[in-house]
């Protein structure tokens, strides 16, 4: 059981905290969406970033059922990794509550933060809705 | 600005080198390259060395001076790390140094030791090339990331696993006579389709193997080639690099690789050529789908058109545009930090006529190499031409 990555969890906690509760993303005055932690907009460099509510439902953009995994995820195989679009931002996480053959491009999911049982690390997951 | 010639190339066999150190592998490649070039060691003014995971695989960072020592070189030595594009960047920076007139003779290449790690540890080590915060912690593996790209590509443009299996089969056929290749054996389309899934839609035979190996090039200015009467008929006439957002989720598109398109555009402009001039290519097929992305980014195919190229017989050795005559990463092997140098070594041999597959491209004057880092957050493209 490790507790977080060697580099520490400061950045990741900020990211996981942003997704927990109601969830938010960051938006610059030009409307570029980005994910925290973030000091400047990666598109235009503007450092005036506001927290905007993350849409409750997102759409699967792409996915894969992973059969060979690193040690931190080996106990969960096969698991479905997906990239999901929530309005102006896209998130990457693991799909829970659907089998691999039930996931399609376009499947509607919500986002949640849980724990990776193998490591105790916080984990971004998507659930059907 | 002076032109740059490839005076010598050196490779180790790619495969499993149990019991050999990384420094021994690189020393072999550099030794072969210097002998091939006919250049005295004392003339080498700079070593540019690519390596990705030495700190994990051999508990050894700060490898460049160590490799200079192992190769008997006495010159400034620098390690370049850009994941799987590490050697590509090392070569590019050597080309720029020669062109700038700062050095007349440089050695560039790379090395990776991988087979001493378990599959789980290799998977973990390669994943370090992805975005730790947004991808690695979400369970994204290296094959998993390319699987996400493949699924998106199929959805947008069409194509299927059989198309990709033809890429695998083609590259294995190309490797049959390549003495440096890890797999000198045929793999059929059926075998590829029947292989176990690694990350759907990609199977075990869509992936390149885990490989130990090293590559080295001796790059010289045109003036030095003349002064020392070197036989160096192949010139590097174009170099280009592109970068992109680290995480797939943040890219402008997941069904294309814009960083490689930027690298190709820059390299073609640099060389004063267009995609139509390219007669042969060595591209970064770490997974079968990656060859498809490469060919489209290089402008050799329109987006959506390259997936069927191997199946249609266009990129096979007897096709209009032979791709990966070395066997590619898929069959020749992929020692991550050595690959970018290996591609240029193979293309140089192909163009100067001493490669086992040279007969298939005997009229070729212009070739390109495409070396990608991670899921193409980094890309380096070089144009090589027969200069006579
Ligand atoms: Zn912005």
């Amino acid at each position: 059981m490790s507790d977080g990555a060697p580099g520490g969890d400061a950045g990741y906690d900020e990211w996981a905290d942003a997704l927990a509760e109601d969830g938010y993303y960051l938006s610059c005055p030009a409307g570029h969406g980005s994910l925290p932690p973030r000091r400047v907009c990666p598109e235009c460099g503007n450092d005036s970033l506001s927290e905007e509510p993350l849409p409750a439902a997102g759409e699967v953009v792409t996915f894969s059922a992973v059969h060979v995994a690193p040690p931190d995820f080996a106990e969960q195989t096969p698991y479905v990794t997906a990239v999901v679009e929530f309005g102006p931002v896209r998130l990457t996480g693991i799909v829970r509550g659907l089998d691999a053959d039930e996931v399609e491009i376009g499947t509607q999911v919500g986002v949640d933060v849980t724990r990776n049982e193998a490591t105790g690390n916080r984990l971004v997951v998507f659930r059907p809705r | 600005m002076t032109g740059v010639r490839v005076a010598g190339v050196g490779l180790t066999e790619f495969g499993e080198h149990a019991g050999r150190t990384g420094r021994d592998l690189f020393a072999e490649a550099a030794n072969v390259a210097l002998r091939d070039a006919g250049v005295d060691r004392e003339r080498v003014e700079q070593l540019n060395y690519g390596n990705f995971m030495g700190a994990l695989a051999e508990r050894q960072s700060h490898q460049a001076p160590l490799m200079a020592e192992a190769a008997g070189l006495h010159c400034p030595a620098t390690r370049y790390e850009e994941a799987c594009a590490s050697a590509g960047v090392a070569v590019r920076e050597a080309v720029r140094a020669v062109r700038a007139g700062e050095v007349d003779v440089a050695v560039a290449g790379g090395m990776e030791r991988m087979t001493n790690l378990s599959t789980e540890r290799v998977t973990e080590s390669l994943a370090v090339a992805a975005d730790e915060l947004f991808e690695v912690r979400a369970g994204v593996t290296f094959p998993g990331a390319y699987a996400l790209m493949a699924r998106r590509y199929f959805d947008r443009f069409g194509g299927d696993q059989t198309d990709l299996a033809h890429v695998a089969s083609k590259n294995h056929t190309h490797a049959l006579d390549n003495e440096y290749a890890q797999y000198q054996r045929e793999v059929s389309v059926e075998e590829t389709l029947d292989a176990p899934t690694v990350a759907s839609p990609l199977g075990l035979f869509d992936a390149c193997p885990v490989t130990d190996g090293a590559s080295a090039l001796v790059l010289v200015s045109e003036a030095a080639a003349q002064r020392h009467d070197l036989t160096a008929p192949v010139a590097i006439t174009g170099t280009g690099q592109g970068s992109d957002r680290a995480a797939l989720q943040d890219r402008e598109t997941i069904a294309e690789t814009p960083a490689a398109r930027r690298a190709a555009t820059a390299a073609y402009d640099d060389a004063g050529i267009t995609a139509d001039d390219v007669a042969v290519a060595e591209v970064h097929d770490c997974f079968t789908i990656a060859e498809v992305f490469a060919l489209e980014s290089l402008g050799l195919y329109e987006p959506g058109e390259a997936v069927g190229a191997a199946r249609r017989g266009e990129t096979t050795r007897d096709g209009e545009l032979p791709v990966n005559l070395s066997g590619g990463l898929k069959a020749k092997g992929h020692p991550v930090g050595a690959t970018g140098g290996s591609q240029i070594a193979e293309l140089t041999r192909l163009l100067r006529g001493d490669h086992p597959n040279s007969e298939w491209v005997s009229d070729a004057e212009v070739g390109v190499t495409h070396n990608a880092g991670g899921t193409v957050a980094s890309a380096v493209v070089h144009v090589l031409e027969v200069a006579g």
Side-chain angles (χ1 to χ4, degrees):
Chain A
M1 300 284 281
S2 63
D3 188 18
D9 282 329
Y12 195 69
D13 277 343
E14 188 176 341
W15 163 227
D17 287 345
L19 290 182
E21 310 287 322
D22 291 334
Y24 69 86
Y25 68 95
L26 299 173
S27 183
C28 77
H32 302 131
S34 62
L35 302 174
R38 195 70 71 178
R39 183 165 296 272
V40 303
C41 170
E43 278 308 308
C44 66
N46 197 307
D47 63 1
S48 169
L49 301 176
S50 61
E51 295 179 6
E52 303 294 332
L54 197 68
E59 195 177 290
V60 171
V61 172
T62 184
F63 67 96
S64 171
V66 178
H67 293 254
V68 179
D72 286 359
F73 292 87
E75 289 167 27
Q76 303 181 43
T77 56
Y79 57 87
V80 177
T81 291
V83 176
V84 178
E85 188 162 284
F86 290 84
V89 292
R90 283 181 270 169
L91 277 54
T92 307
I94 291 179
V95 178
R96 291 278 169 82
L98 287 174
D99 287 335
D101 56 8
E102 295 175 309
V103 181
E104 290 175 6
I105 289 175
T107 297
Q108 297 283 311
V109 294
V111 65
D112 193 9
V113 177
T114 178
R115 295 270 169 191
N116 180 340
E117 292 85 358
T119 61
N121 288 338
R122 293 161 90 186
L123 180 66
V124 177
V125 296
F126 304 118
R127 299 184 199 283
R129 51 173 298 133
Chain B
M1 183 185 79
T2 179
V4 180
R5 296 294 180 93
V6 184
V9 304
L11 297 167
T12 65
E13 280 182 24
F14 280 14
E16 194 176 329
H17 288 287
R20 284 184 67 182
T21 57
R23 65 185 88 181
D24 182 45
L25 292 171
F26 186 74
E28 181 190 341
N31 216 19
V32 174
L34 286 162
R35 206 178 305 136
D36 185 40
V39 169
D40 291 338
R41 281 187 155 67
E42 306 83 73
R43 297 203 189 280
V44 178
E45 298 165 272
Q46 180 168 319
L47 170 63
N48 286 14
Y49 169 78
N51 177 263
F52 168 56
M53 52 189 268
L56 300 169
E58 291 195 299
R59 297 186 177 222
Q60 182 69 64
S61 278
H62 202 185
Q63 288 196 5
L66 196 71
M67 295 302 160
E69 174 193 323
L73 299 176
H74 301 274
C75 59
T78 308
R79 172 190 161 195
Y80 291 83
E81 192 275 301
E82 214 67 43
C84 321
S86 297
V89 177
V91 172
R92 171 174 156 79
E93 292 307 320
V95 167
R96 284 150 62 101
V98 172
R99 281 180 170 182
E102 290 180 10
V103 301
D104 266 332
V105 181
V107 171
M111 186 285 299
E112 209 73 63
R113 276 286 276 132
M114 302 175 74
T115 69
N116 54 329
L117 300 176
S118 69
T119 300
E120 276 195 343
R121 287 296 165 195
V122 170
T123 304
E124 189 180 38
S125 301
L126 289 173
V128 172
D131 187 321
E132 201 273 334
L133 200 56
F134 295 129
E135 295 187 317
V136 178
R137 292 197 187 217
V140 175
T141 63
F142 195 39
Y146 270 95
L148 292 171
M149 298 162 80
R151 176 98 58 195
R152 189 71 195 150
Y153 181 98
F154 288 163
D155 185 68
R156 179 153 152 213
F157 296 119
D160 58 27
Q161 289 166 304
T162 305
D163 290 319
L164 297 185
H166 279 268
V167 175
S169 182
K170 164 183 78 73
N171 291 346
H172 274 273
T173 300
H174 289 175
L176 284 177
D177 295 328
N178 187 351
E179 69 274 28
Y180 296 108
Q182 187 161 3
Y183 294 124
Q184 287 181 263
R185 67 175 174 88
E186 298 271 11
V187 166
S188 69
V189 169
E190 294 69 31
E191 273 178 278
T192 304
L193 289 170
D194 288 346
T197 301
V198 173
S200 68
L202 301 180
L204 189 60
F205 286 6
D206 286 296
C208 67
V210 172
T211 311
D212 305 323
S215 65
L217 311 171
V218 179
L219 303 179
V220 302
S221 65
E222 265 169 9
Q226 275 181 1
R227 196 161 57 239
H228 302 298
D229 197 24
L230 304 176
T231 308
V234 174
I236 299 182
T237 57
T239 177
Q241 184 176 351
S243 298
D244 206 338
R245 303 282 290 275
L248 286 177
Q249 64 184 23
D250 295 326
R251 305 257 175 94
E252 156 197 349
T253 166
I254 301 177
E256 296 176 58
T257 51
R261 196 174 58 231
R262 289 190 275 273
T265 302
Y268 293 170
D269 285 351
D270 192 30
I273 67 155
T274 69
D276 289 341
D277 297 316
V278 175
V280 55
E282 285 288 315
V283 307
H284 198 95
D285 59 328
C286 50
F287 298 93
T288 48
I289 184 70
E291 178 165 312
V292 176
F293 286 123
L295 295 178
E296 295 178 4
S297 303
L298 288 167
L300 302 173
Y301 284 86
E302 292 298 313
E305 296 297 319
V307 70
R311 193 176 187 168
R312 294 190 298 266
E314 294 161 5
T315 51
T316 50
R317 59 191 176 185
D318 55 349
E320 296 156 43
L321 178 72
V323 173
N324 283 330
L325 282 171
S326 67
L329 285 58
K330 172 72 188 89
K332 190 194 170 197
H334 181 30
V336 172
T339 286
S342 161
Q343 293 175 315
I344 293 174
E346 294 283 12
L347 185 55
T348 298
R349 294 199 305 147
L350 284 162
L351 290 175
R352 68 187 189 184
D354 61 327
H355 192 284
N357 281 330
S358 284
E359 60 179 296
W360 302 101
V361 286
S362 51
D363 295 333
E365 297 281 328
V366 180
V368 294
T369 61
H370 159 282
N371 184 204
T375 52
V376 204
S378 293
V380 182
V381 171
H382 282 106
V383 178
L384 274 63
E385 296 188 56
V386 178

